[in-house]
Structures are given as C-alpha cells and as structure tokens.
Amino acid sequence: MTYRVALWGTGNVGRHALAGIVARPDLELVGVWTSTPAKAGRDAGELCGLAPVGVAASGDEAEILARGVDCVVYTCMADVRIQEALDDLARLLRAGVDVVSASPVFLQFPDQVIPDGMSAPIRAAAAEGGASLFVNGIDPGFANDVLPIALSGIAERIDQIRCMEILNYATYDQGTVLFDIMGFGKPLDETPMLLLPGVLSMGWGSVVRQLAAALDVELDDVEEHHVRLPAPETFEIASGTIEKGTAAALRFELRGMSGGRPVIVLEHVTRLRDDLAPDWPQPSGQGCYRVELTGEPNYTLDLRLLGSDGDHNTAGLKATAMRIVNAVPAVVASPPGLLTALDLPLIPGRGLA
C-alpha cells in the first residue's frame, strides 16, 4: 500500500523528514507546506539536498490538503509557539488527516503532564475528523520509550530506570533553542525559559509518566532538578558566541518519585565543549542516549549517534525525523485518537539495500 504524505515545515527536522519520505517506497510525497515565502515554489528535493522530485513547496494549506493527503508529517517548531502548533494539529485532524508530529512534545503522553484543557481540543478534533495523532521523536521519544521498555523485559527486578541524553550541542545550529530557551550564553543569574518552574515537567514529564504507565508504577510526584556551569573563557559554537562566565553546560533531571525515592529518572547532560564538567557523565562515542536499569540484574544500554557527515547532532535530527516518518503506516492503520508509543506496534524502518 502507498500512503499519500505531506510535510508541514522545512526547518532543521523537516528537511531530514523530507528526505526520509522520498526514500520510503511506500510513501508518496504530494505536498510540502512552508511558512517561509522564499521557499514557496521551490522543488522539495532542492530543500533537502536531493535531486528534484516534482513537488513544489507552498504556503497554501487548503490547496495541499485538497490533493488527498493520508498523513501529514508535522515538523514545525512548537517551543515558542505552542498554542499555534496546537491549533495547526487540531485543524489538520478536523480535516480528517492523520498526523505524525515531532511537537509539541508533551503530547507524546499528556496524561498528568498538562492540564486536560490543553489536550481536550486535540482529542475532540481527532474524534470529529476520525483521524489519529502520534507525537514522538528521539527524546522525548524512542530513546526513552522503546529502549527502556524493551530493556525492562529482561529484568527480574527493577529498582530504577534512568534515561539519559549525553550530548555536546556546539554543532546544533538553532540559536532560538540554545540561547533563548536553554539559556546558553546567558548570565547564570538569569533564568531561561526551560528552567522556569514547571517547564521541564511539561517538556519531559511525558517520558516519566509514560514509563510509569508501562511499568504499572504509581508515582507520588515528579521533581525537577538542574545545575548550570559557566564558560571558562569565550568561545564560538555554530549558533554564535559563548562569552566567558555565561552558561556553557547544563545538567537537569526529572525524578519520578515513589515511596520517597526516585524510581524513573529522565536526565540530560548538555555541554558546549567536551572538556566542560568532566565529572558529569560522559558519552559513549561522540554522543549517546543511555538507559540505566538498576535492579536484578543491572543493565546499561548506550545508543551512539553519528551522522554520515561525522556529526552526532545531525544523527539526532535524523532520528527524530525518521521516528515519525516511519510511523506513518502504523498511525494510518490505527483507530482515531491521540496515540502514544504504548498504542503502536514496534515500528520498522525501510531502505535496506
């Protein structure tokens, strides 16, 4: 079966999703929506570094949907436009189009993470249009749903599951995320958006809550913890300049608590230089996602990242894109509603030569 697919958004994740759609023989690219006027009219292949594919990008949503779209791959940034992204998703669902999306990330498992009033319009739109929505990626996503759940299947006893991202973000060229949201390059006495009370829980609480649901664990609370370290001198990264004394390393945790102890933990260790915070956890390879299961027996599982261009951040973007692109057939086949990783079968990729 061939699925008619449209891409929504052509940014950092979108261009990798576009290449992934073109690569899958069971997906037919029928439209590309862009908010950037300069990209409108350009061939989709050109936008992702491929040969022309005969589909031009457009800013006309209605015209694209009129082509008969089975599923939209939604990769528009939502971090600084959450309500607009929710409105986009609801509108697509009401139109009867299934959607796989990389954002807003709290929709990967919203129960007990966001107020019901935020997810209710999405559920209502899905019911009205008879369509499904699946939000996922690499983190939140595959690295902290499929991997830890699979690992738990070979444990006799589980005392704690810890899901970690250990990455150097210096080559991640997204200034809005790094500077405005995460607070890198900002004074340490200035609290960035990411570290305002409740924001970490909104962004990654879905990870902790979904694992608790999968493992049938009742959590008493989810706690937020973080620490930042300054740059020892001024240096450059892909997105700009990090001045001496400003934030250059960040470590945070979301701790799912039960009986007074952390039983499910989401941890990020983010550096802008490999030599920063040498006492913090170190990655396997250039960068990795790690699952640590403490119990009987103890397990450590590392997923190393490396793109064909030699950059681990390229691999992370590709992983996020392909997690949702490869989910298209399973989502189209699912009943209407807001889907989670617990609702879908194991999602295989395509492209074995």
Side-chain angles (χ1 to χ4, degrees), residues 164-167 283-284 286-290 302-305:
M164 307 171 69
E165 177 189 272
I166 312 174
L167 293 177
S284 173
Q286 269 186 222
C288 74
Y289 288 95
R290 177 172 296 158
D302 278 356
L303 174 66
R304 294 186 181 185
L305 304 180

Side-chain angles (χ1 to χ4, degrees), residues 199-214:
V199 175
L200 286 176
S201 293
M202 179 176 284
W204 285 272
S206 56
V207 168
V208 175
R209 295 291 183 182
Q210 182 168 245
L211 285 177

Side-chain angles (χ1 to χ4, degrees), residues 279-300:
D279 56 324
W280 291 2
Q282 297 291 333
S284 173
Q286 269 186 222
C288 74
Y289 288 95
R290 177 172 296 158
V291 179
E292 294 181 344
L293 189 152
T294 305
E296 180 54 45
N298 297 313
Y299 294 115
T300 298

Side-chain angles (χ1 to χ4, degrees), residues 230-266:
E233 64 265 336
T234 298
F235 62 93
E236 300 293 324
I237 62 172
S239 295
T241 301
I242 305 298
E243 299 286 349
K244 179 180 179 179
T246 63
L250 168 66
R251 183 180 185 181
F252 70 76
E253 290 184 351
L254 280 182
R255 301 172 184 169
M257 307 295 293
S258 179
R261 64 183 183 88
V263 294
I264 299 173
V265 182
L266 182 283

